[in-house]
Amino acid sequence: MIRYIVLAFFLFFIGEFHAQQTKVRGQVTDAVTGEVLPFVTVRFHDSKIATLTDSVGRYSFETYYATDSLRFSFSGYLTVSKAVKLDEEQVIDVKMETLTAEIGEVTVRPPDEFPSTTLHKKVIRNKDINNKEKLESYEYELYNKIQLDVNNLGERFQNNPIVKRLDLVMSYLDSADNGKNYLPLLLSESISNFYFKNNPKKKREVITASKLSGVDNFQINQLLGDMYLDMNIYDNYITLFQRAFVSPVANFARTYYRFYLEDSTFIDNQWCYKLRFKPKRSGDMTFEGEMWIHDTTYAVKQISARIAPWANINYVQDLYFEHHFDQVEKEVWMLTKEKMIADLKLTKKTKVYGFYARKLSSRKKFVINEERPPDFYQTNSTVEYTDGAQERSEAYWDEHRHEPLSKQEKGINEMIDSLEQTSFFTTLKNGTYLLGTGYWPLKKLELGSIYSLASINPVEGFRTGLALRTSNKFSRIVELGGRVAYGVNDERFKYGALVRWNVTPKKRGMLSVLYNYDIEQIGQSPTAASVSSTFGTVFRTGPLDKLTFVEKVGVNLEKDVKKDLILFGGIEWKEYTPLGLANYQRYNSLGVLENISRIQTAEVTARIRWTKDEEFISGAFDRTTLRSKYPIFSVQGIFGIKGLLGSDYNYQKVEFQMEHNRHAGVLGRIRYGVTLGNVFGTAAYPFLKVHAGNQSYWLLTTTFNKLNFFEFVSDRYTEAFIEHHWEGLFLDRIPLLKKLQWRLVTTGRMAYGSISNRHSQVMLLPDFTRRFGNTPYAELALGVENIFKVGRIDLVWRMTHLDPGMNPLGIRARWAFNF
């Protein structure tokens, strides 16, 4: 069983295939006389790859499309078959015997399988050969055009008096797609040179021209994230909007699709067969469409498809794509043109505005198997911009873009300026930004945050706060921000400030300077709702009675150094004052217990983070990852230096983290990770590892949801988790639940650690903490997500460290906008 598990793991995570050319040569002669035989037909078995022997009986092949045997046939001679060693160079000489036997009875029977099945089997047999991944290297010029349009525009908008006065906007509304009016919002264009090599895999993209017209909005770019990804039809699974679809060219595609051979014709002077496909059953993440197959190489010449109507993707009401392939060199097929259109709306029948997301890609100027020297790929970034790439003239674009823009596309900036005069457009744009960031734009400033306007906690009672920061219209290099809050009970103002400066815009280097004078909950996940959170107040399961007043000042730099590598370094001074039940106590030199009013530390932090092939969509200051199929690794060191800026302790915290988020095909998505850490030296317990807990009904996906704050404190520790999103695999097959499009989620989390008694010399552990002993803390959860497209509810089971009368079960819920 262990061998099978290891084998499955290896195949799932590592297995790859690289096709090689098979080279065969030889000579054909008469078996009796030894004379050479010209014009003998030499053909690979069950293939259309064939040749004739020359005038001296010689032949040769150099092909990716070899099969396991060669057949030699010639009038008056017996047909001969010879075995072929694939992916090797070999000599096969053949002696043919004359035909003397009489021809026997010939019986004609119908085929054992449908012609469509036979054709699809040949497509699968040759898919690795036709896949660009077989090549040792390739490069090409790439043109990308991404467009976002507002659709679902009704009569109310069109009859708006302000809109009617905008002639340019009205002319855009005259442009209809499938009978529906739309308005372009954003147009992104880029021209680049793309390079790839195998063994080991390396890639590089040099953007020579880049242009953005229309609305520059980071939240919109996040929405379009998957449109930027490369889609390979030869992969078994095609990932779109965080869902894995079974490709019609998957090795197991006939388990999910029915295929129909419907037509044949010439396409670009190449004879092709039309193979239509449709899903076998509802509920599977599949496509329906058609593809044209080249009759000799069985490569996909063209494919057009749309997602199945029952595809369990939120807000994506329809998605259509086309791929066009060309044989750019002998036996080398490459994607030359790609088109994708997604219809994004809350529901199919909604009257709320929606979006069309469009992608057009074109590739040309191919160079195949001309490998560049290794140092060519030794660059600091997978994607680079040449000097002046974002400042190209219109004349440059007219000359170099692969397809001309339409009249509407050329005038999108002018049209957006006109739309800025309508309350509809400004409300839509600002509302989208508010939901994504919590801030409302006010020209060069932004006011917020709606997520921390009001809250309640035992120390402050009712708390209210406001924040203000500069917008990208003020600067795309420097951001200034500040916030202020007031607590009614403690009658005390809290405040903070943050300055962010992208010191190296070409290759991100974010310098941050911060000051904070506020109440915090130590041991709360960084992704949890803060003390000031409105949501945290509403959903708490217990009082925040172990708070800490924190004053801190710091400076740090996050720098992208090389491909996939991010460095972080900083220094921070902090002063903690306990509030509520939190207390700082120790025994003095006379053995008398004394209270400590406050503690101070100065920490130097260094962190390195590495993820192979990770890419980002970046705004001026924030960015979001497009995810990588590889794990994220990080190593962090935090060094407390006694005496520096009044620091009370000398300690070193070293922590290793690994997290992996990958698709598991029809089994959904799996996210798992592990954390290992150790604290050297001596420190007060708030500066050790306080295992993150959650005292609210709000579900946290990065921490323990049935663990109280400060319940466990360690100086040596490990944590692990696994979260499996089964998507619609189970619930989509239950008739009454299928229409709801709910999705199953299962989660497991574990923590274990210990703490040395040496730390009690500087501060005692409070009574509300406990030790792990010989038993790790563990919890399991079973949940349903995608409730009304945004909700998730989990039943969490605390398995260990249960006190008498403690309920091991708990309900946690959250909402999030996910596809």
Side-chain angles (χ1 to χ4, degrees):
M1 178 62 70
I2 292 176
R3 288 199 300 269
Y4 288 133
I5 293 174
V6 172
L7 177 61
F9 182 90
F10 178 82
L11 292 176
F12 186 72
F13 286 92
I14 304 173
E16 292 184 350
F17 174 87
H18 300 297
Q20 303 292 328
Q21 284 190 324
T22 300
K23 300 179 181 180
V24 186
R25 60 184 173 86
Q27 188 176 42
V28 183
T29 58
D30 186 290
V32 177
T33 65
E35 294 181 356
V36 297
L37 297 179
F39 309 117
V40 176
T41 300
V42 187
R43 181 190 302 274
F44 282 99
H45 176 66
D46 196 22
S47 170
K48 291 190 176 183
I49 304 299
T51 189
L52 297 175
T53 58
D54 61 16
S55 59
V56 292
R58 297 189 181 278
Y59 73 93
S60 65
F61 288 100
E62 188 172 330
T63 180
Y64 290 105
Y65 298 95
T67 61
D68 60 1
S69 62
L70 279 174
R71 294 174 63 88
F72 299 79
S73 58
F74 192 46
S75 178
Y77 285 83
L78 292 172
T79 299
V80 178
S81 294
K82 291 289 186 179
V84 175
K85 297 177 181 178
L86 297 179
D87 303 332
E88 293 185 15
E89 185 174 352
Q90 58 216 275
V91 176
I92 300 178
D93 294 326
V94 173
K95 296 181 178 181
M96 300 186 70
E97 298 179 353
T98 56
L99 178 64
T100 57
E102 296 182 358
I103 298 176
E105 180 183 359
V106 176
T107 303
V108 180
R109 296 189 177 91
D112 296 330
E113 59 187 11
F114 292 112
S116 58
T117 302
T118 303
L119 179 60
H120 189 265
K121 284 183 177 180
K122 292 180 178 180
V123 173
I124 299 305
R125 189 179 70 192
N126 291 280
K127 63 177 286 187
D128 291 316
I129 300 171
N130 292 316
N131 192 344
K132 64 183 179 180
E133 302 297 325
K134 75 179 181 184
L135 302 171
E136 289 302 318
S137 68
Y138 58 81
E139 55 190 74
Y140 52 76
E141 183 181 276
L142 170 65
Y143 170 71
N144 260 330
K145 180 171 70 174
I146 306 289
Q147 182 173 333
L148 186 71
D149 311 319
V150 178
N151 63 20
N152 211 29
L153 297 174
E155 294 182 359
R156 181 179 178 184
F157 172 78
Q158 298 179 53
N159 294 329
N160 187 306
I162 299 178
V163 174
K164 283 187 173 182
R165 291 196 297 269
L166 302 174
D167 294 336
L168 183 61
V169 175
M170 293 303 294
S171 68
Y172 272 73
L173 285 173
D174 290 338
S175 302
D177 188 27
N178 295 327
K180 300 178 181 179
N181 293 322
Y182 67 92
L183 280 174
L185 279 186
L186 175 146
L187 179 67
S188 171
E189 292 182 279
S190 67
I191 301 174
S192 62
N193 295 316
F194 185 87
Y195 308 88
F196 174 86
K197 74 176 291 291
N198 254 321
N199 302 320
K201 287 185 181 294
K202 299 285 185 181
K203 66 179 181 178
R204 181 182 180 187
E205 184 174 5
V206 180
I207 297 178
T208 56
S210 178
K211 183 179 182 181
L212 181 67
S213 304
V215 180
D216 183 8
N217 189 304
F218 180 58
Q219 281 63 43
I220 291 179
N221 276 319
Q222 287 180 282
L223 178 71
L224 296 176
D226 277 26
M227 303 289 285
Y228 291 93
L229 299 179
D230 187 20
M231 184 172 73
N232 188 348
I233 193 66
Y234 288 107
D235 290 340
N236 286 332
Y237 295 100
I238 298 174
T239 301
L240 292 169
F241 295 99
Q242 304 174 20
R243 296 291 176 272
F245 289 81
V246 178
S247 169
V249 193
N251 295 342
F252 42 82
R254 292 189 301 279
T255 304
Y256 293 88
Y257 292 96
R258 299 187 191 278
F259 293 91
Y260 304 90
L261 182 58
E262 292 189 337
D263 198 1
S264 59
T265 190
F266 281 103
I267 301 178
D268 298 332
N269 295 320
Q270 295 168 325
W271 190 253
C272 299
Y273 302 105
K274 179 182 177 182
L275 198 60
R276 183 168 61 88
F277 51 89
K278 58 184 294 186
K280 277 188 172 181
R281 54 191 168 268
S282 63
D284 293 330
M285 300 298 281
T286 48
F287 301 99
E288 53 185 1
E290 62 186 41
M291 53 186 171
W292 289 86
I293 308 301
H294 184 229
D295 79 323
T296 302
T297 62
Y298 301 104
V300 177
K301 172 63 178 171
Q302 293 181 9
I303 182 171
S304 58
R306 59 182 359 105
I307 59 174
W310 52 77
N312 193 342
I313 311 181
N314 292 333
Y315 321 121
V316 180
Q317 306 308 324
D318 194 11
L319 187 144
Y320 170 86
F321 74 89
E322 291 180 12
H323 281 188
H324 297 258
F325 296 84
D326 287 310
Q327 200 166 187
V328 298
E329 285 189 5
K330 181 184 177 182
E331 299 187 349
V332 176
W333 289 87
M334 297 292 288
L335 176 65
T336 54
K337 190 172 182 180
E338 177 184 8
K339 180 181 180 181
M340 183 185 295
I341 302 175
D343 185 5
L344 309 175
K345 288 196 293 284
L346 289 177
T347 63
K348 286 187 176 181
K349 298 181 179 180
T350 183
K351 294 184 179 180
V352 178
Y353 304 117
F355 300 96
Y356 285 132
R358 309 168 190 266
K359 174 184 179 180
L360 174 68
S361 295
S362 174
R363 296 163 174 83
K364 64 182 183 180
K365 299 181 182 178
F366 290 90
V367 179
I368 305 299
N369 288 339
E370 294 184 15
E371 192 166 330
R372 293 178 176 269
D375 58 356
F376 176 79
Y377 295 93
Q378 301 301 317
T379 60
N380 292 332
S381 177
T382 302
V383 180
E384 307 167 60
Y385 286 81
T386 60
D387 292 337
Q390 296 172 309
E391 301 171 357
R392 299 298 186 188
S393 66
E394 286 300 322
Y396 180 94
W397 280 103
D398 291 340
E399 179 182 353
H400 290 87
R401 67 164 55 94
H402 293 191
E403 293 193 7
L405 296 182
S406 67
K407 180 181 178 181
Q408 285 80 7
E409 290 170 338
K410 287 184 177 180
I412 188 171
N413 277 329
E414 185 181 355
M415 193 274 298
I416 292 297
D417 290 340
S418 298
L419 275 178
E420 293 280 5
Q421 302 177 37
T422 68
S423 59
F424 144 76
F425 184 75
T426 55
T427 301
L428 175 66
K429 184 177 69 172
N430 294 344
T432 302
Y433 191 78
L434 179 70
L435 289 175
T437 65
Y439 285 80
W440 184 267
L442 299 170
K443 295 184 178 180
K444 293 186 177 183
L445 297 176
E446 295 174 358
L447 180 65
S449 161
I450 61 170
Y451 301 120
S452 58
L453 286 175
S455 61
I456 297 175
N457 63 71
V459 174
E460 297 174 291
F462 177 76
R463 170 188 171 121
T464 185
L466 285 176
L468 194 68
R469 70 184 186 187
T470 57
S471 70
N472 291 350
K473 292 183 178 180
F474 171 81
S475 172
R476 298 183 64 87
I477 302 297
V478 177
E479 179 190 69
L480 309 176
R483 58 183 177 82
V484 62
Y486 182 76
V488 174
N489 284 3
D490 64 353
E491 299 180 347
R492 193 174 184 180
F493 280 100
K494 294 87 182 174
Y495 41 86
L498 174 65
V499 177
R500 292 195 292 178
W501 177 21
N502 193 353
V503 294
T504 55
K506 189 172 181 179
K507 187 165 185 62
R508 180 184 171 93
M510 191 62 67
L511 179 68
S512 300
V513 180
L514 62 93
Y515 176 78
N516 193 53
Y517 185 78
D518 205 346
I519 293 175
E520 293 185 12
Q521 175 63 67
I522 308 300
Q524 182 170 258
S525 169
T527 60
S530 65
V531 172
S532 62
S533 169
T534 304
F535 292 108
T537 297
V538 174
F539 293 112
R540 282 187 194 130
T541 59
L544 296 180
D545 52 8
K546 308 177 188 71
L547 297 173
T548 304
F549 202 99
V550 178
E551 183 179 9
K552 62 182 174 183
V553 59
V555 58
N556 60 69
L557 175 66
E558 183 183 74
K559 176 64 178 167
D560 293 0
V561 180
K562 290 188 175 183
K563 296 179 184 177
D564 323 315
L565 187 65
I566 301 174
L567 299 183
F568 177 91
I571 182 170
E572 192 171 84
W573 174 88
K574 295 183 285 191
E575 181 181 84
Y576 286 6
T577 302
L579 301 173
L581 297 181
N583 58 80
Y584 299 161
Q585 295 181 321
R586 68 183 175 193
Y587 288 104
N588 61 21
S589 58
L590 300 177
V592 178
L593 184 66
E594 63 179 9
N595 292 321
I596 305 173
S597 60
R598 60 177 57 88
I599 55 177
Q600 295 179 347
T601 186
E603 294 179 339
V604 176
T605 300
R607 180 170 65 245
I608 181 170
R609 181 184 185 273
W610 180 80
T611 309
K612 180 177 172 58
D613 294 342
E614 185 177 30
E615 297 179 2
F616 296 90
I617 295 177
S618 298
F621 301 98
D622 299 301
R623 62 182 177 180
T624 183
T625 178
L626 289 179
R627 293 182 180 173
S628 167
K629 65 179 181 180
Y630 299 101
I632 301 171
F633 296 98
S634 69
V635 178
Q636 177 175 268
I638 300 177
F639 307 96
I641 305 174
K642 187 174 183 178
L644 178 64
L645 301 176
S647 175
D648 298 322
Y649 309 102
N650 191 51
Y651 56 92
Q652 305 82 39
K653 295 196 290 187
V654 180
E655 186 174 271
F656 165 82
Q657 285 187 334
M658 184 280 291
E659 183 175 331
H660 195 191
N661 192 332
R662 70 169 291 131
H663 288 279
V666 295
L667 299 180
R669 290 182 293 119
I670 300 176
R671 186 173 70 93
Y672 61 93
V674 63
T675 301
L676 304 171
N678 201 350
V679 182
F680 303 93
T682 304
Y685 74 85
F687 301 138
L688 303 178
K689 174 63 176 182
V690 180
H691 294 272
N694 181 21
Q695 291 182 201
S696 76
Y697 290 109
W698 185 259
L699 175 69
L700 299 178
T701 59
T702 59
T703 191
F704 299 94
N705 283 285
K706 284 287 288 179
L707 190 69
N708 295 323
F709 297 134
F710 282 110
E711 192 166 347
F712 291 103
V713 179
S714 305
D715 63 3
R716 288 183 297 172
Y717 55 92
T718 180
E719 295 181 349
F721 73 91
I722 181 169
E723 183 178 67
H724 197 144
H725 297 259
W726 297 93
E727 308 300 1
L729 180 64
F730 298 114
L731 301 184
D732 276 1
R733 284 160 173 76
I734 301 175
L736 296 179
L737 296 179
K738 181 179 177 180
K739 292 185 178 180
L740 298 175
Q741 293 192 325
W742 289 355
R743 305 165 187 167
L744 185 68
V745 187
T746 53
T747 309
R749 294 186 179 276
M750 181 277 295
Y752 184 71
S754 62
I755 184 168
S756 171
N757 291 327
R758 68 178 183 273
H759 303 291
S760 61
Q761 299 173 11
V762 294
M763 183 175 292
L764 300 176
L765 285 177
D767 295 336
F768 46 75
T769 65
R770 67 170 83 196
R771 296 175 183 265
F772 286 100
N774 297 321
T775 305
Y777 175 84
E779 63 183 33
L780 295 176
L782 178 68
V784 175
E785 62 181 346
N786 206 42
I787 301 171
F788 301 115
K789 298 187 181 296
V790 295
R792 173 176 168 181
I793 299 177
D794 279 24
L795 176 64
V796 184
W797 174 30
R798 175 169 173 154
M799 303 174 64
T800 59
H801 294 281
L802 296 170
D803 292 332
M806 178 184 290
N807 186 357
L809 301 178
I811 298 294
R812 300 292 184 267
R814 66 181 283 116
W815 62 270
F817 291 98
N818 293 311
F819 288 109

